[in-house]
Amino acid sequence: MCGIVGYIGKKDTQAVLIEGLKKLEYRGYDSAGIAVFTNQGLQIAKAQGRLANLESKLEGTPLVGSAGIGHTRWATHGKPSDVNSHPHTDNSHKFSVVHNGIVENYLELKDELISQGHHFVSETDTEVISHLIAREYDGDIVKAVQKAIGYMRGAFALGVLTEYEPDKLVAVRQASPLIIGIGEGENFIGSDIPAILQYTRKVYILNDGEMAVLTQDSVELMTIEGNFISREMIHVDWDAVTAEKGGFEHFMLKEIHEQPKAYRDTMRGRIDESGKKVVLPELKLTADQIKNIRNIQIIACGTAYHAGLVGRSAIESLVRIPVETDVASEYRYRSPIVTPETLVIVVSQSGETADTLAAMREAKANGAHVLAITNVVGSSIARDADDVIVTLAGPEIAVASTKAYTSQLIAFYLLALYLAEVRGTQTPEAVAQIVAAMQALPEQVESMLAKPDAIKAYAEHISKHEHLFFIGRGLDYAVAQEGSLKLKEISYIHSEAYAAGELKHGTLALIEEGIPVIALATQEAVLEKTVSNIKEVNARGADIMAITHEENVAGLLKSVDQAFAIPKTLPLLTPALSVVPLQLLSYYASLARGNDVDKPRNLAKSVTVE
Ligand code: M6R
């Protein structure tokens, strides 16, 4: 999730771009850059790290001009570095591009452009865009951009400048947000409202498949096919803080709502064109190495560990390789058995968690091949691992992890399917069925997010309690553990997650009249047994809420006080849906208790001590 800003007008362009980028800082980034038309032509400055690094670079040699584009990068293709930072240019240095999103077919396009004599300097997918535009340019930048995007597959928001037409700034939106800000004798583009809010409150929101051509005095909106469109101008009356949160009250709620996009982005480019097969071109692990894997160890902390529990089920059921899961802080102290045929999967949103890093180094030292699932490309864990699958959730700001967790689930499903394909443990039809169900998940999440009221009301109810239980079997138990952690960490309500069948071996003693119990009952194969366990707590007077499927609601209501239905998917994929009401539950419970939702007490976003 990168940030774009663009300006055309009479103000100090460099200052407008830097100020705009500062307003996007809250999203997190690993490098930044700007391109400005100066009287020496199109000049680019970029720097890895914080915006201050770029500002120091510009000190003494400012880029003075009347139009420019700027970018903060959150690395996806290619590590964070000066050269991989945006804006990118072509070999003539006459075109400049900033880009958010992913060009899925960039490798194909890059090979073609190289064969035509283009020379590339970065590892990014974005550089391909500037070369394509340069190749297609024939005196009209709008047409060149339209032709270039005709070759591209994927998601992109673009800002484009060419030295040949210095009075124009071209913007494109295709599945990655972009807005146009309207000023007096000046106009702006931004990936997000905060980038331009200090200059104007009048905006056009581009829809997918639309573009805009900006001059100082005009904005033309059109489809990417070139048909002109008209659009109502919106007046933004958010304050700066609300704007950073995209209009949501908290980052956590914003990030919960970003999950459909995170699912789509994490799958993008990893499902082949037939839509039936998983491809993981980023893996160095060879087919022979995959065929030789004897055992897998999944190591992580907190929420990432809970994603690992789902990952274990996915791999064991689809690939039939034995999988162990460990919390990273314990892994080293149990003398784990590692051989060169052991695949160790470390999971970490931040890629900086000290416990996970230490466990990973131990596994590597013992000869394991280490594959990291992380959300941060240039992180320590990503750098030290032999292989990396990047989750494309974008920066997560709230301490409570939500979209990072669900993107980790998607990464695990993709990995399990890929291993199954290589080892031939699933038929192509079975793989295609799972892939199709995965592609339906984002819409199913959207449908739940559109109706938060029942969960909100239930959250207000439990917010008055000090203790509660989550129960479930199999994958429901894995999700129960995540639901319980989420609730504890931000609402400060004490909760425990139990394997539903284990209650009767001790914990049932704690069930008394009125204690809330949240029962996950989505796994049809163990539903009858879960219902028996629900009856055990019902008989002791518990106040029970079930999360289940529509067809089970009526039956369950004989033993529970209320039931919340989630959309139906394959049992293995259900955690990617059933966790959503639990995230909302902890959010609203924390809100009802007046807590600081995004910054809960005693916790940090990245835990860099063991
Ligand atoms: O950055 P990581 O994924 O390695 O972090 C691991 C845990 O510290 C993290 O998931 C923590 O449990 C979250 N605050 C949970 O919401």
Side-chain angles (χ1 to χ4, degrees):
M1 199 192 279
C2 310
I4 287 181
V5 61
Y7 177 71
I8 185 156
K10 294 189 181 61
K11 285 198 172 81
D12 172 354
T13 298
Q14 175 180 307
V16 174
L17 297 177
I18 297 285
E19 282 309 305
L21 294 179
K22 279 186 184 157
K23 295 294 182 293
L24 298 175
E25 271 190 305
Y26 70 95
R27 299 150 61 104
Y29 59 90
D30 48 52
S31 50
I34 59 170
V36 176
F37 281 126
T38 68
N39 50 20
Q40 280 109 47
L42 201 50
Q43 304 261 305
I44 297 177
K46 36 197 198 175
Q48 187 187 337
R50 304 201 61 83
L51 206 50
N53 299 357
L54 177 64
E55 287 184 279
S56 338
K57 230 180 196 177
L58 291 163
E59 248 168 36
T61 49
L63 303 185
V64 181
S66 57
I69 47 180
H71 190 264
T72 50
R73 176 168 187 253
W74 175 265
T76 57
H77 292 72
K79 61 185 176 301
S81 68
D82 286 4
V83 75
N84 285 338
S85 309
H86 301 210
H88 285 282
T89 186
D90 67 306
N91 295 149
S92 72
H93 295 275
K94 301 286 186 201
F95 298 84
S96 189
V97 174
V98 286
H99 163 221
N100 283 358
I102 301 155
V103 182
E104 284 170 23
N105 57 335
Y106 83 102
L107 282 176
E108 240 167 78
L109 293 170
K110 191 169 178 174
D111 285 346
E112 180 186 307
L113 287 157
I114 289 172
S115 73
Q116 293 164 351
H118 293 254
H119 169 66
F120 285 79
V121 294
S122 80
E123 301 160 298
T124 65
D125 50 342
T126 308
E127 197 182 355
V128 163
I129 308 172
S130 40
H131 284 267
L132 276 177
I133 295 172
R135 186 185 75 182
E136 299 303 323
Y137 189 73
D138 189 14
D140 183 339
I141 185 62
V142 179
K143 289 212 169 77
V145 171
Q146 287 166 339
K147 280 190 191 154
I149 57 186
Y151 294 105
M152 290 156 46
R153 274 202 319 274
F156 37 86
L158 306 177
V160 182
L161 292 175
T162 175
E163 207 174 289
Y164 297 123
E165 296 175 61
D167 57 334
K168 284 191 191 127
L169 166 55
V170 180
V172 181
R173 171 182 171 147
Q174 179 62 50
S176 215
L178 201 69
I179 55 157
I180 312 297
I182 313 299
E184 296 289 327
E186 58 181 3
N187 290 307
F188 306 81
I189 65 170
S191 51
D192 222 345
I193 288 171
I196 59 163
L197 199 57
Q198 59 188 316
Y199 304 110
T200 181
R201 289 180 173 268
K202 291 192 255 172
V203 301
Y204 291 124
I205 313 259
L206 288 185
N207 292 329
D208 288 345
E210 292 178 353
M211 59 189 292
V213 183
L214 288 72
T215 67
Q216 290 192 1
D217 302 307
S218 66
V219 172
E220 277 179 346
L221 303 180
M222 60 188 85
T223 64
I224 52 179
E225 293 80 25
N227 302 317
F228 289 101
I229 46 177
S230 64
R231 172 76 27 86
E232 201 184 325
M233 192 186 287
I234 291 175
H235 187 270
V236 180
D237 46 20
W238 294 344
D239 59 33
V241 176
T242 312
E244 283 186 0
K245 293 174 185 154
F248 290 97
E249 205 177 330
H250 294 96
F251 283 113
M252 181 181 177
L253 190 59
K254 175 174 184 263
E255 287 158 7
I256 289 173
H257 280 261
E258 283 171 349
Q259 291 179 113
K261 177 170 178 348
Y263 286 30
R264 290 188 181 105
D265 286 349
T266 302
M267 282 187 264
R268 202 183 301 285
R270 290 169 171 157
I271 292 172
D272 80 348
E273 278 180 62
S274 72
K276 294 182 175 166
K277 212 171 159 292
V278 170
V279 285
L280 292 176
E282 63 266 60
L283 287 194
K284 292 187 212 109
L285 207 59
T286 63
D288 280 345
Q289 279 174 305
I290 290 174
K291 285 179 188 150
N292 286 333
I293 296 171
R294 299 277 293 276
N295 67 320
I296 293 181
Q297 294 172 346
I298 298 176
I299 310 172
C301 303
T303 287
Y305 170 74
H306 295 149
L309 297 177
V310 177
R312 178 179 69 191
S313 285
I315 296 171
E316 288 193 333
S317 62
L318 297 177
V319 201
R320 309 303 297 154
I321 299 176
V323 184
E324 298 158 273
T325 43
D326 281 271
V327 286
S329 53
E330 290 292 321
Y331 176 77
R332 283 186 291 166
Y333 310 110
R334 70 166 176 98
S335 306
I337 298 165
V338 174
T339 70
E341 285 82 40
T342 303
L343 174 67
V344 165
I345 304 175
V346 291
V347 193
S348 173
Q349 181 280 133
S350 62
E352 299 297 344
T353 301
D355 288 320
T356 312
L357 196 55
M360 160 181 169
R361 287 182 176 151
E362 167 104 356
K364 260 192 108 169
N366 287 333
H369 184 96
V370 177
L371 185 157
I373 296 179
T374 182
N375 200 34
V376 184
V377 170
S379 60
S380 308
I381 287 177
R383 288 199 309 268
D384 280 16
D386 300 302
D387 261 313
V388 184
I389 296 181
V390 181
T391 51
L392 292 156
E396 193 178 63
I397 294 165
V399 166
S401 188
T402 53
K403 61 175 182 170
Y405 167 80
T406 43
S407 324
Q408 286 158 359
L409 300 189
I410 299 294
F412 267 118
Y413 294 139
L414 292 168
L415 177 65
L417 287 168
Y418 181 70
L419 298 179
E421 282 164 21
V422 175
R423 288 173 71 116
T425 51
Q426 297 294 317
T427 62
E429 294 73 25
V431 171
Q433 191 202 4
I434 300 171
V435 169
M438 284 178 71
Q439 287 173 311
L441 290 172
E443 263 185 50
Q444 292 178 309
V445 172
E446 273 155 6
S447 74
M448 284 188 284
L449 294 176
K451 290 182 261 164
D453 291 349
I455 288 292
K456 193 173 173 187
Y458 183 68
E460 277 155 19
H461 167 63
I462 62 156
S463 70
K464 299 178 189 88
H465 288 260
E466 287 307 324
H467 305 277
L468 64 75
F469 291 91
F470 286 82
I471 59 171
R473 283 173 175 257
L475 283 168
D476 281 339
Y477 175 42
V479 176
Q481 291 177 71
E482 173 55 10
S484 173
L485 173 63
K486 209 90 308 172
L487 188 72
K488 279 184 274 218
E489 101 179 289
I490 57 168
S491 76
Y492 319 146
I493 298 171
H494 168 235
S495 81
E496 299 293 339
Y498 268 87
E502 186 65 10
L503 279 177
K504 56 188 176 294
H505 299 290
T507 311
L508 207 49
L510 291 173
I511 303 297
E512 53 187 27
E513 195 66 34
I515 192 155
V517 172
I518 297 168
L520 283 109
T522 71
Q523 298 293 308
E524 305 301 328
V526 286
L527 189 64
E528 273 184 25
K529 289 200 162 53
T530 306
V531 170
S532 301
N533 304 133
I534 287 174
K535 287 188 171 149
E536 288 162 9
V537 291
N538 179 42
R540 272 98 190 156
D543 170 4
I544 312 169
M545 197 272 269
I547 293 191
T548 189
H549 295 123
E550 194 59 55
E551 71 254 32
N552 303 325
V553 168
L556 274 166
L557 280 174
K558 293 180 190 137
S559 329
V560 303
D561 299 273
Q562 44 189 312
F564 181 84
I566 60 163
K568 194 100 194 238
T569 182
L570 299 173
L572 183 61
L573 305 184
T574 304
L577 299 180
S578 56
V579 74
V580 176
L582 301 186
Q583 296 169 338
L584 289 171
L585 182 69
S586 47
Y587 171 76
Y588 286 117
S590 174
L591 204 62
R593 292 185 138 219
N595 295 349
D596 186 345
V597 176
D598 285 335
K599 291 196 185 105
R601 69 187 184 200
N602 308 338
L603 299 178
K605 184 66 190 162
S606 177
V607 186
T608 52
V609 288
E610 279 189 59

